Structures are given as C-alpha cells and as structure tokens.
Amino acid sequence: MQTVGLIDYDRGNLRSVEKALERVGCQVVLVETRDDFARVDPQVIVLPGVGAFGDAMRNLEERDLIIPIKEWLSENRPFLGICLGYQLLFEESEESPGVEGIGYFPGKVVRFPDSVGKVPHMGWNQVSWQSDHKSALRDVFSSNPYYYHVHSYYPAVESRGNRGQCETEYGIRIISGMTEGNIAAFQFHPEKSQEAGINLLRCLFETQFSSNR
C-alpha cells in the first residue's frame, strides 16, 4: 500500500479523488502545509484542482506549498496532477496574466478558440496515446478510452521525444496528458471516469510509480 499525499489547497473535490485512490489500494493523507511533507512522508504526491489558475497559485503560496512541490518534482519523485493540477505545472496561463505557474513543464496554458464551439469543454471524450515513449500507460490507452473532461483552457505544448503524451480532440487536438519519469499529469478527471479512470490510476500506482521508485 502506497502512502499518497493529497494536496489540499481549497481547489477541488478532494473526496472523489480520495475515494478513487483508495479503490486502487492507496492510503491517502491530506497535505495542507509545507510541514506536512515531512510529517506525512508520502511516497506519491497528488495535486488535484478545479477553478482559476491564479487563485490556485495564490492558495498554494499562502500555504507555503509551492517550494516543496517544486523540490519534489525536481527529484523526479512520483507525482500526479489532475485537471487544474496539470495546468499549474506549466509556466503561465492566459486565464491569469502575470501569475507564474509551478513551471515544471515549459509552455503556456491557453483558452480554447471560439471556433471549437461550446466552451467549457465538458463531457466524455476519447483519449489516445501519441508517443513512441516507452511507458506502462501505452496499453491503458490502446483502446482509445473515454475520460471525463471539464475545462476551458489547455496547455499549448510541443511534442517531445523523451516524454509520453496522450491527446484529446475537441475541435482541435490538444495534449491532454503527459508523463516524464515519475511525473504524470492529465487534463481529464480519472476519478470521474468510472472504470477507465480506475484502470489508469491502477496502472500508475501499481506499475509506473512502483517500477520507477
């Protein structure tokens, strides 16, 4: 059983994420301050989130969580970002000009163009693996499963050879998830995606995170 530190910064439905993690055999402990990293001593950190980019970064800063998250990422320790928690890993967002993101991944989060139709993008969409990168997740995405999405913004990033990535099409094709070493993050919500989401989490925690520790 892996101990998971679930970041609590008042940005997200923590209970649904917690229940999904428990279903795949994780012991979940809330991490609310910098001191909790040492107190909890987690094996994996999960950063969920819904809402605005700028508000989320301010909440993380107020709880002194940005530095320990950056340190965790720099050490390539197992980390999962979900929805807004995926976007926060980038450098900046059009949603909150002037607010710096965590900056683990290079790039900017941008709003869907009006040409895609209804924004926010809300509902079930297929996700496909679009990388030659060797990853335990390739088999999970082999059937192009459907996952639940709710977002108006997405990271505008380029393909990169040493990174695993998946894509979703909603008027345009976007990179809706990336993995790099022990770091994984997704725009969609595995915890709201029924068995497809549980299968993804199970693969992450039983295979990818375990083998890379």
Side-chain angles (χ1 to χ4, degrees):
M1 178 178 291
Q2 297 183 61
T3 301
V4 175
L6 181 60
I7 301 290
D8 180 4
Y9 62 118
D10 290 335
R11 285 291 160 216
N13 182 357
L14 295 185
R15 184 54 187 153
S16 62
V17 177
E18 183 178 7
K19 287 172 64 177
L21 294 172
E22 289 173 345
R23 280 194 62 187
V24 298
C26 298
Q27 179 182 0
V28 182
V29 184
L30 295 183
V31 172
E32 301 178 90
T33 67
R34 183 173 186 166
D35 291 342
D36 286 342
F37 276 78
R39 178 183 63 80
V40 173
D41 191 24
Q43 295 168 287
V44 183
I45 287 293
V46 175
L47 179 63
V50 296
F53 187 97
D55 291 341
M57 289 304 300
R58 279 188 287 272
N59 283 17
L60 289 173
E61 184 174 13
E62 287 172 359
R63 298 189 178 206
D64 200 17
L65 288 167
I66 294 176
I67 290 176
I69 289 174
K70 286 184 175 181
E71 290 174 345
W72 187 278
L73 292 166
S74 71
E75 295 168 1
N76 190 32
R77 301 180 68 181
F79 179 97
L80 171 61
I82 298 173
C83 195
L84 182 59
Y86 170 49
Q87 296 181 7
L88 295 176
L89 296 182
F90 292 85
E91 296 168 309
E92 59 180 327
S93 174
E94 285 184 350
E95 185 178 24
S96 304
V99 177
E100 290 186 7
I102 291 171
Y104 179 77
F105 292 127
K108 184 175 184 178
V109 177
V110 301
R111 193 180 190 278
F112 277 109
D114 293 338
S115 60
V116 304
K118 186 178 179 181
V119 177
H121 168 210
M122 183 181 298
W124 295 83
N125 276 75
Q126 282 186 298
V127 177
S128 58
W129 188 256
Q130 296 292 330
S131 172
D132 293 331
H133 181 73
K134 293 181 179 179
S135 169
L137 298 180
R138 293 185 69 171
D139 290 342
V140 173
F141 292 103
S142 63
S143 62
N144 297 336
Y146 283 81
Y147 296 99
Y148 191 76
H149 299 66
V150 183
H151 61 118
S152 299
Y153 295 80
Y154 67 95
V157 293
E158 299 292 331
S159 298
R160 190 161 131 186
N162 63 344
R163 178 190 297 152
Q165 46 192 52
C166 55
E167 295 186 356
T168 300
E169 184 168 351
Y170 185 68
I172 57 175
R173 294 191 69 82
I174 67 167
I175 296 176
S176 55
M178 298 197 298
T179 68
E180 191 170 280
N182 277 320
I183 316 302
F186 303 100
Q187 181 62 69
F188 50 85
H189 288 269
E191 80 282 4
K192 296 182 179 180
S193 298
Q194 301 177 8
E195 286 306 311
I198 295 301
N199 288 340
L200 173 57
L201 293 175
R202 184 174 290 116
C203 180
L204 277 173
F205 285 89
E206 295 183 359
T207 305
Q208 179 147 333
F209 288 162
S210 295
S211 63
N212 287 336
R213 278 208 310 270

